[in-house]
Amino acid sequence: MRLLVGYLIEIPELLEQRPLPGREGYGDSILAFGGEYRHLEISPSMRWEEILAACPRGWKPDVYLHNSIEYNPVPEGIAEAGCFTAATVGDWNLGGQALAAAGGAFDALLADRPGREMLARQGFETVLPTRIWAQDPGRHRILPGIERDIDVLMLANMNHAIQWERAPWLARVARLATRYRVRIDGGLYGDAYTEIMNRAKIVFNRSIRGELNMRAFEAPACGALHFYEDTNPEVREVFTDRVDCVLYNDSNLEDVLDHYLDPANARELEAIAEAGQRTAARHSYACSFAETVTTLEAAWHRWEEADRPLRAFASLPPTERRVRAATQWLRACNHLHFPRMASLLAECADQPAGEPPGKPSGEPSGEPAGSPLAAALQATVEGEWAVHLSDPAARRTRLTGAITLAQRAARRDPDNLINAANLGLLCLAAGRDAEGGAQLRSLTARLKSGPAAPEQLAGVLFPRGFTRSDVALEAAWTTHLPGSPEWARAMQSVLIARMQGLLAERAYAAGDYPASHDAARASVAEQPDQSELWLALARASRALGRADEALAAYAETARLSPFRVEARQEAARLAMDLGRPVSALALIEEWLAILAGTPFYRASLPRFEALREEARALQAALARPTAPITRLLALPDWSQPADWQEPLRQFASAYGPADPVLLMLRADPAQGVNAAEKLMELQQFLIGTMEIAPNAMPNVTLINARLTADEQWKLLHACDAVIGCAPLPAPWATLAAESRKPFYHPEEIGRLGALVPAA
């Protein structure tokens, strides 16, 4: 069989064009491109016929295999290929939209067991089995002379937005560092990866999709005992519990770790690890790919016998085909090959290719039904292109063109909600904040007004990223049938949460904490498992002085994402600001316990050690007995003398130095108030005007601490009542209302009664 392969992982047999294990007598002719393969000189932007032209003279493939449709650009024209075509689907949790766009261009799709189940739910008819991951014997091997000095190891992708379900498990394992030598780390590759695997007695593992991931083979190949979740639907196809691996669950993880790390059971651990190494040896990438080649060969023969049925993609209208091709390229390539994506769309969106669009060029020609979506997608492409440019002027020009395209698409199809979102997001990226904010508020109102139709959600959201929201959006494409009412509801929920989250961030930055709080609350109601939304709610609640609500939101943030260092630090600081050092210490010690097993976050250690010392000092200070005192806060306008003199006059007339009452006058340095000068004016007023003896001065202090806008609540928290000659200005009025602190006119100071404790 003549097989052409794109973007395959490096396999020595293919690099050197040797037969694959088990297929020595089959006479396979396999050519590969992409990565380290140099059998063909091509670029990813080449069309299918150009790839064929790059093949050796007289050589044409019987089968083309495209690896990772979610990451690698599908050659344009593949739907018309004269050979059997197939594509592997690996990280489908991150590539649902790319799969939906281009999966129908192939005769078959290949995936592991959970992937095949997903593809069947999505309506793909020809789905073949393959083993996506394996191990490389040249790299993943037992190294001589290395001591296994790590009890439990996990080398992980530490992007917890993607691996959000695994993060609490990692924190759970990290806490065992008080009993065992635990290391959870990331960013190690090549020889360093192999070496540290050889230092591990046990490698903890947990899949993201219920698949057998690469670590499932690499860890035992390096001689470690491999721990995997017992709910994994694929693991028992290769491994056997307590024979060549150990399967754990939520109720027994610590118990099985204790068992195998007990020195009395060291031989049992070694025996299972040795069996695991033998099992992994049978699953090299070369062996797994040989099985895939056999599967493809059989499918190719069936395809030939069925008289080469028409591919679904080939029957689509030309505009839809271009839009789908560009969508797959955009989702798979991310920021690569923008000119080719733009040219795919320019033909049906009536926009010159290769140059940044500056102004509308009249109504688009071509197929009217497809053109608005093509223009909307071209706006996304131009926006993605722009944000990856280093030259500010070129970036601004292309963003302006992207906005123009999105506006034109909005005129042609005003009901498209994805394009409406992109228009606002592009404006924000271009620095047109007022315009972008207004667009997002308008869109949010539309999204919340009722169910969206599936056709309103066509398009690609800008910008492409790997945030928790992006992962949730991709999940909508694989959990539900695209275009179904369930898919539309899931998409709409993700959009509402993302727009509300952005509005919460913008309102917070503008100091509009009530609006930020409302938007954040709405966002977590839509997507309660996104920790960044809870963090936004925590910050808005804190800025409003809603301390307990803030602490609860911080706790939910940490539960969902245990490694959000900033959330833990802010929560501990808030507890100390509230005078709760015991709570602060509990939060700090919890993170330090996790940190002991997670050197990836060691940079945060000095901050939390300093916080711990502060909390201990506060605890000691609060333990010392002090007399009760009533604190009255005045927020005078220092440019108006009466605004500070009247509260001071009434206070000095009612209370003396022996009374347990303190008047606190806010002297904000951010407002240009010089505390030293004001202190002199206060003394002159009390002694000169009111004729109070220096030894009879009342308890008055200036509060001149520098506080950011979101820290002003601390003043309200520290007082028992607010004093003022006029109604409080808007920010302070809001904080006072949130804190439920009473407001008194200066004339009422002497009649506060029960508010003032007995001397």
Side-chain angles (χ1 to χ4, degrees):
M1 181 177 67
R2 289 166 298 182
L3 174 64
L4 179 62
V5 186
Y7 310 106
L8 186 66
I9 196 167
E10 294 175 30
I11 298 175
E13 287 83 349
L14 294 188
L15 287 168
E16 300 163 13
Q17 294 190 292
R18 294 186 283 112
L20 291 166
R23 292 190 61 88
E24 288 82 359
Y26 282 76
D28 297 326
S29 176
I30 303 176
L31 299 181
F33 62 86
E36 294 299 314
Y37 294 102
R38 296 290 184 268
H39 302 160
L40 279 69
E41 291 299 326
I42 71 161
S43 70
S45 61
M46 290 172 67
R47 294 174 53 86
W48 172 247
E49 58 265 29
E50 294 172 322
I51 293 175
L52 288 181
C55 293
R57 183 183 298 274
W59 191 97
K60 289 186 178 181
D62 300 310
V63 177
Y64 170 65
L65 176 64
H66 186 88
N67 275 280
S68 297
I69 195 173
E70 68 275 20
Y71 292 134
N72 297 309
V74 171
E76 188 185 355
I78 193 66
E80 291 82 26
C83 64
F84 181 75
T85 61
T88 63
V89 183
D91 290 347
W92 47 265
N93 57 306
L94 301 178
Q97 194 164 1
L99 171 65
F106 295 90
D107 296 302
L109 297 175
L110 295 91
D112 51 25
R113 179 174 169 178
R116 295 195 302 275
E117 294 172 355
M118 179 275 300
L119 290 169
R121 292 194 303 269
Q122 298 300 299
F124 291 99
E125 294 182 1
T126 305
V127 181
L128 306 175
T130 190
R131 189 77 65 200
I132 298 293
W133 305 112
Q135 53 84 22
D136 178 358
R139 175 170 295 168
H140 308 118
R141 64 199 189 280
I142 296 177
L143 302 176
I146 294 184
E147 179 188 358
R148 296 198 179 271
D149 59 350
I150 299 173
D151 292 323
V152 185
L153 173 69
M154 175 59 166
L155 294 179
N157 173 0
M158 302 301 275
N159 182 342
H160 302 297
I162 295 175
Q163 294 278 2
W164 65 278
E165 291 181 297
R166 188 181 65 186
W169 285 92
L170 298 189
R172 181 173 172 176
V173 173
R175 292 186 183 97
L176 298 175
T178 57
R179 293 150 55 186
Y180 302 114
R181 294 168 296 183
V182 176
R183 178 164 177 174
I184 296 173
D185 213 341
L188 292 171
Y189 306 97
D191 292 342
Y193 179 91
T194 302
E195 181 179 350
I196 197 168
M197 279 287 191
N198 273 260
R199 292 173 55 194
K201 294 178 181 177
I202 293 173
V203 169
F204 174 82
N205 196 2
R206 192 165 187 87
S207 67
I208 191 171
R209 297 175 299 275
E211 83 287 6
L212 268 177
N213 60 26
M214 62 178 67
R215 200 171 295 104
F217 299 99
E218 294 168 352
C222 292
L225 174 57
H226 177 231
F227 268 48
Y228 221 44
E229 75 268 15
D230 69 1
T231 55
N232 189 291
E234 200 174 33
V235 65
R236 290 181 178 85
E237 295 177 1
V238 176
F239 296 97
T240 302
D241 187 24
R242 312 300 170 106
V243 175
D244 50 10
C245 75
V246 172
L247 303 182
Y248 66 87
N249 56 46
D250 184 60
S251 63
N252 71 1
L253 173 61
E254 287 79 7
D255 290 340
V256 290
L257 283 171
D258 287 341
H259 175 83
Y260 287 103
L261 290 173
D262 186 334
N265 300 319
R267 185 66 198 106
E268 183 182 359
L269 182 153
E270 292 169 3
I272 297 175
E274 289 168 2
Q277 196 272 335
R278 292 192 294 271
T279 299
R282 299 194 294 271
H283 293 275
S284 67
Y285 280 108
C287 290
S288 293
F289 187 64
E291 294 178 3
T292 298
V293 171
T294 300
T295 299
L296 287 171
E297 187 173 41
W300 164 51
H301 288 310
R302 291 193 297 271
W303 178 76
E304 291 270 358
E305 293 169 1
D307 199 20
R308 304 188 173 198
L310 182 70
R311 295 161 186 130
F313 197 91
S315 63
L316 297 173
T319 291
E320 185 172 351
R321 291 167 64 181
R322 294 189 190 103
V323 167
R324 286 197 179 202
T327 297
Q328 191 273 336
W329 275 56
L330 183 59
R331 299 310 286 176
C333 300
N334 197 6
H335 61 280
L336 303 176
H337 314 298
F338 290 113
R340 186 60 186 144
M341 285 184 258
S343 68
L344 278 173
L345 295 163
E347 300 171 38
C348 52
D350 192 30
Q351 184 64 51
E355 297 181 2
K359 60 181 180 179
S361 56
E363 286 299 306
S365 58
E367 298 160 286
S371 295
L373 185 56
L377 185 58
Q378 195 173 18
T380 309
V381 170
E382 294 291 338
E384 294 285 0
W385 197 345
V387 298
H388 288 90
L389 294 174
S390 58
D391 179 57
R395 176 189 174 108
R396 284 193 301 271
T397 299
R398 200 163 287 279
L399 277 173
T400 299
I403 292 169
T404 298
L405 283 168
Q407 290 170 334
R408 184 173 72 176
R411 289 194 297 271
R412 295 293 303 275
D413 185 6
D415 291 332
N416 188 298
L417 299 173
I418 296 293
N419 184 64
N422 287 344
L423 179 54
L425 295 166
L426 287 165
C427 286
L428 293 181
R432 292 155 61 165
D433 290 355
E435 187 178 351
Q439 177 71 14
L440 295 187
R441 286 190 294 273
S442 173
L443 171 63
T444 301
R446 293 172 61 189
L447 287 166
K448 295 171 69 176
S449 65
E455 57 269 20
Q456 292 181 272
L457 299 163
V460 178
L461 195 63
F462 167 86
R464 171 67 191 270
F466 292 97
T467 67
R468 180 67 188 86
S469 178
D470 291 299
V471 173
L473 185 142
E474 290 291 350
W477 286 85
T478 54
T479 305
H480 309 287
L481 186 64
S484 68
E486 295 79 13
W487 171 85
R489 283 195 293 272
M491 289 286 291
Q492 188 171 2
S493 178
V494 173
L495 278 178
I496 291 173
R498 181 178 287 195
M499 297 305 108
Q500 292 280 32
L502 285 170
L503 291 174
E505 291 176 7
R506 288 177 50 77
Y508 188 90
D512 189 351
Y513 304 124
S516 179
H517 178 273
D518 291 347
R521 174 61 69 186
S523 71
V524 299
E526 283 293 336
Q527 296 281 303
D529 57 3
Q530 294 191 26
S531 65
E532 61 267 30
L533 303 179
W534 283 100
L535 182 57
L537 178 61
R539 288 169 171 167
S541 300
R542 179 194 61 192
L544 287 171
R546 300 181 184 180
D548 290 330
E549 184 180 354
L551 288 172
Y554 278 124
E556 186 64 11
T557 304
R559 185 188 72 80
L560 291 168
S561 186
F563 297 97
R564 275 195 174 273
V565 180
E566 70 276 28
R568 292 184 176 276
Q569 183 174 346
E570 290 171 18
R573 174 62 65 188
L574 175 57
M576 285 194 287
D577 289 336
L578 296 171
R580 304 176 190 176
V582 175
S583 296
L585 282 169
L587 293 168
I588 294 165
E589 295 295 350
E590 180 185 17
W591 173 244
L592 291 176
I594 293 173
L595 187 60
T598 319
F600 188 84
Y601 295 98
R602 65 170 61 92
S604 69
L605 180 61
R607 281 179 281 157
F608 279 85
E609 288 179 332
L611 273 176
R612 180 168 57 183
E613 292 307 309
E614 285 187 56
R616 287 172 174 171
L618 178 61
Q619 186 178 27
L622 293 177
R624 293 190 289 269
T626 56
I629 187 171
T630 295
R631 293 175 171 84
L632 308 178
L633 174 66
L635 304 161
D637 179 354
W638 291 95
S639 66
Q640 303 295 324
D643 212 41
W644 62 266
Q645 290 176 358
E646 187 59 21
L648 186 60
R649 184 194 311 277
Q650 296 293 341
F651 183 81
S653 299
Y655 304 108
D659 293 313
V661 188
L662 174 67
L663 176 63
M664 304 184 300
L665 295 157
R666 175 61 170 153
D668 191 351
Q671 301 297 322
V673 180
N674 187 308
E677 292 178 359
K678 296 306 174 187
L679 186 61
M680 291 295 297
E681 291 182 35
L682 295 179
Q683 291 176 338
Q684 291 171 2
F685 180 79
L686 291 170
I687 296 172
T689 302
M690 295 193 66
E691 299 180 347
I692 296 176
N695 61 353
M697 298 281 279
N699 299 316
V700 179
T701 187
L702 290 179
I703 304 296
N704 69 330
R706 289 190 176 274
L707 298 175
T708 58
D710 60 354
E711 294 177 315
Q712 302 286 7
W713 66 271
K714 296 179 184 180
L715 297 178
L716 277 299
H717 173 75
C719 76
D720 298 290
V722 182
I723 307 298
C725 296
L728 292 172
W732 290 109
T734 300
L735 290 174
E738 291 288 348
S739 66
R740 295 183 173 85
K741 296 299 171 68
F743 178 80
Y744 297 101
H745 191 274
E747 293 178 354
E748 300 176 280
I749 287 178
R751 303 194 298 272
L752 295 184
L755 186 65
V756 179

